[in-house]
Amino acid sequence: MVADPPKGNPKELAAAEPTENGVMSLVPIEDPGAAEGSCCGSRDQVRRCLRANLLVLLTVVAVVTGVALGLGISGFGGAAALGPARLAAFAFPGELLLRLLRMIILPLVVCSLIGGAASLDPSALGRLGAWALLFFLVTTLLASALGVGLGLALQPGAAVNASVGVTGALEETCIKDTQDSFLDLVRNIFPSNLVSAAFRSYSTCYEKKVVNGTQVKVPVGKEVESMNILGLVVFAIVFGVALRKLGPEGELLINFFNSFNDATMVLVSWIMWYAPVGILFLVASKIVEMEDVGTLFARLGKYILCCLLGHAIHGLLVLPLIYFLFTRKNPYRFLWGIITPLATAFGTSSSSATLPLMMKSVEERNGVSKHISRFILPIGATVNMDGAALFQCVAAVFIAQLNQQSLDFVKVITILVTATASSVGAAGIPAGGVLTLAIILEAVSLPVRDISWILAVDWLVDRSCTVLNVEGDAFAAGLLQHYVDRTQSQSSVPELIQVKSETPLDPLPVPTEEGNPLLKRCPGPAGDADTYEKESVM
């Protein structure tokens, strides 16, 4: 039996809560007016809020401090005043953060994808993968269209004197043809050696040879120093599906990869507390390395504004609107939960390096399940490049205006399609989007030598691109989590209806305490004794 509820003012009683023995009891609450004379409660709330968001606040402060420190050192002479040795020592904390994050990428991607693919049945795996790729394709197309529209509207290249060159142009041997670029993409999907794929990828270069008295450019394939993350992603997904097909025989290996991934996430949680220090020196050292920041911004300010404005519109309006339309949840609360990985993306300028922090944030702060985040986020870090696609479209329009070449409808469509296609599989490393920009320029017959203008400010624009890339990955994980939750809730409705319809047809024996109004009879499993639970009279 349950004791009678306490008598008193009903406003002083909270909602009924279950105790350890299953009895529903009423929890008294304090009078709000009694706490007005003391600020202890508010201080405790502020203290708890600061403790819960300490890492976020430290990361944001690190970015702001890094910008201020870099500009301050640049005002006193910059890199020339520091000298090479001091500059290397100044950038060392940021370099250490990059090394720690890159160390974690390989085990995290492989183990998380194998465990994620093995935890899903093939039909669910196909549905989730299809929805994720559709989301990535649609958002990349929207970002490309936004980039072209802003470039045509703001005219960033109209006020720049094309006769004034900028140093740092790409070598001609680094520029690949469109056909060779897509062939390299397919080759990297199927690496010939998994061990070498951990630190090398296939790339086509060119050698000049004389054939029949004519100098021609001959393609030559070779392995370059860059992790083939696309090949590792494809192998890990297929291997996870194969382990699930083994049934009980594959459970031991699946548990091994899941445990390996959990241990890796513990390492990530430790690295996260060093991230603010590393981000501060990464941002500051990159600003110090620029020779004349003021002149560069004055000359290319309109192009930088166009890129940053496009990233802001897509990241703060387009992606949140898509998330809200499908989930009816506050997208900016979701964004607040991933502030730390977004700031890390700005500091490191690498989607792959941000992947460990993003996984931990969406799981712990935004409620995304592990099998969703660890399956979708590695794929998104490889194929979803909204920021790169937008920046490439703005850069193509900028270079066309720089050379006073008009873009007709066919060329605009070509830029959109090529930017969307070339962003898939683009390396998740700093300045990876600049290398694929050459494909777009060749597709619309624009001079590749003008990429030197883009390289001059790529240190800033590329950071904004990375922030938008990882934000799109996180929203994709949130949307898929909502899709999975809705699917499971809909599939459970017919079972509840069936139980309700069958219960009156097969009445159970009368319980011994049938006179107790606080006992509710619940149907148990077939052949088992009946179960009872106590419920509150409130």
Side-chain angles (χ1 to χ4, degrees):
M1 299 298 291
V2 180
D4 294 333
K7 298 180 180 180
N9 189 357
K11 294 183 180 181
E12 298 178 358
L13 299 178
E17 294 184 3
T19 59
E20 295 180 356
N21 58 1
V23 179
M24 303 299 291
S25 61
L26 296 176
V27 180
I29 60 175
E30 298 179 356
D31 186 8
E36 293 180 357
S38 175
C39 59
C40 295
S42 61
R43 287 180 180 177
D44 291 339
Q45 292 178 357
V46 171
R47 191 180 297 110
R48 286 195 299 267
C49 181
L50 290 177
R51 188 182 297 115
N53 299 281
L54 180 60
L55 185 61
V56 176
L57 297 176
L58 289 177
T59 308
V60 174
V61 170
V63 173
V64 176
T65 307
V67 173
L69 181 61
L71 293 176
I73 296 177
S74 297
F76 289 97
L82 287 178
R86 293 179 179 177
L87 182 60
F90 182 73
F92 176 74
E95 179 188 356
L96 186 59
L97 175 63
L98 283 176
R99 296 178 70 89
L100 289 172
L101 292 175
R102 288 170 180 168
M103 173 190 68
I104 254 2
I105 291 174
L106 179 62
L108 185 66
V109 169
V110 174
C111 296
S112 64
L113 277 176
I114 290 177
S119 64
L120 300 171
D121 61 275
S123 60
L125 183 66
R127 288 195 302 269
L128 289 178
W131 281 113
L133 292 179
L134 178 62
F135 174 80
F136 293 152
L137 177 63
V138 171
T139 55
T140 305
L141 278 174
L142 291 175
S144 302
L146 179 61
V148 172
L150 285 175
L152 295 175
L154 298 181
Q155 301 283 323
V160 180
N161 185 7
S163 62
V164 181
V166 179
T167 59
L170 289 178
E171 297 179 3
E172 186 178 356
T173 55
C174 296
I175 307 303
K176 294 191 290 187
D177 295 335
T178 305
Q179 177 182 348
D180 292 330
S181 298
F182 284 106
L183 289 179
D184 287 349
L185 179 66
V186 177
R187 292 188 185 104
N188 285 320
I189 291 177
F190 305 100
S192 59
N193 190 327
L194 283 176
V195 177
S196 64
F199 53 89
R200 288 181 180 176
S201 60
Y202 187 92
S203 179
T204 299
C205 295
Y206 300 94
E207 294 181 357
K208 293 182 179 179
K209 294 184 179 180
V210 178
V211 180
N212 297 327
T214 305
Q215 190 178 32
V216 295
K217 190 170 62 173
V218 180
V220 178
K222 65 177 184 179
E223 300 285 338
V224 297
E225 293 292 332
S226 175
M227 181 186 294
N228 182 10
I229 191 170
L230 184 61
L232 294 175
V233 164
V234 173
F235 170 78
I237 293 175
V238 176
F239 190 71
V241 174
L243 285 179
R244 184 177 178 84
K245 287 291 185 181
L246 290 178
E249 297 179 358
E251 290 182 358
L252 181 62
L253 201 53
I254 294 174
N255 293 333
F256 166 77
F257 283 111
N258 287 332
S259 299
F260 202 123
N261 190 73
D262 292 338
T264 305
M265 295 305 293
V266 173
L267 295 178
V268 171
S269 65
W270 296 346
I271 296 174
M272 286 179 69
W273 288 103
Y274 177 72
V277 179
I279 291 172
L280 189 153
F281 287 96
L282 272 174
V283 176
S285 61
K286 186 58 65 174
I287 294 177
V288 170
E289 290 174 1
M290 300 303 300
E291 295 181 357
D292 193 352
V293 180
T295 304
L296 193 62
F297 273 75
R299 186 177 299 170
L300 298 177
K302 209 169 183 180
Y303 164 74
I304 298 173
L305 174 64
C306 195
C307 290
L308 297 183
L309 180 62
H311 290 157
I313 293 175
H314 192 76
L316 297 178
L317 294 179
V318 178
L319 290 178
L321 180 61
I322 295 175
Y323 180 81
F324 174 76
L325 290 177
F326 283 94
T327 65
R328 298 298 176 180
K329 298 178 182 178
N330 187 354
Y332 300 103
R333 182 176 299 173
F334 187 92
L335 277 177
W336 176 252
I338 58 172
I339 283 292
T340 299
L342 292 182
T344 306
F346 183 83
T348 60
S349 186
S350 173
S351 300
S352 301
T354 314
L355 181 60
L357 307 185
M358 181 60 77
M359 279 187 179
K360 191 169 184 64
S361 295
V362 297
E363 291 173 9
E364 295 183 356
R365 298 179 65 88
N366 288 335
V368 178
S369 59
K370 292 183 179 180
H371 71 276
I372 295 291
S373 66
R374 299 178 185 183
F375 173 70
I376 294 302
L377 291 180
I379 297 177
T382 308
V383 303
N384 182 36
M385 298 289 171
D386 291 357
L390 192 149
F391 133 76
Q392 289 167 359
C393 290
V394 173
V397 175
F398 169 78
I399 292 176
Q401 295 169 356
L402 196 67
N403 293 274
Q404 298 180 355
Q405 294 186 18
S406 60
L407 295 175
D408 55 13
F409 180 75
V410 176
K411 287 186 177 181
V412 170
I413 297 299
T414 303
I415 291 175
L416 291 177
V417 175
T418 311
T420 303
S422 62
S423 64
V424 177
I429 58 175
V434 174
L435 301 179
T436 57
L437 175 60
I439 302 175
I440 303 174
L441 298 181
E442 289 188 350
V444 291
S445 302
L446 290 173
V448 179
R449 66 178 185 274
D450 288 333
I451 290 183
S452 58
W453 288 93
I454 309 303
L455 287 174
V457 293
D458 184 66
W459 63 274
L460 175 61
V461 175
D462 190 50
R463 280 164 164 72
S464 179
C465 291
T466 306
V467 171
L468 187 58
N469 291 340
V470 299
E471 180 189 342
D473 300 341
F475 272 123
L479 284 172
L480 287 179
Q481 182 64 49
H482 175 75
Y483 168 75
V484 171
D485 294 341
R486 188 182 63 179
T487 304
Q488 291 177 350
S489 63
Q490 290 178 353
S491 62
S492 63
V493 172
E495 298 178 2
L496 296 177
I497 297 176
Q498 185 178 4
V499 170
K500 290 182 179 180
S501 62
E502 290 179 356
T503 300
L505 300 178
D506 189 14
L508 297 175
V510 179
T512 57
E513 294 180 326
E514 61 177 327
N516 188 351
L518 298 178
L519 290 178
K520 178 182 178 182
R521 183 176 60 194
C522 297
D528 295 342
D530 298 336
T531 58
Y532 302 90
E533 67 176 5
K534 297 181 180 181
E535 61 180 0
S536 172
V537 296
M538 296 300 293

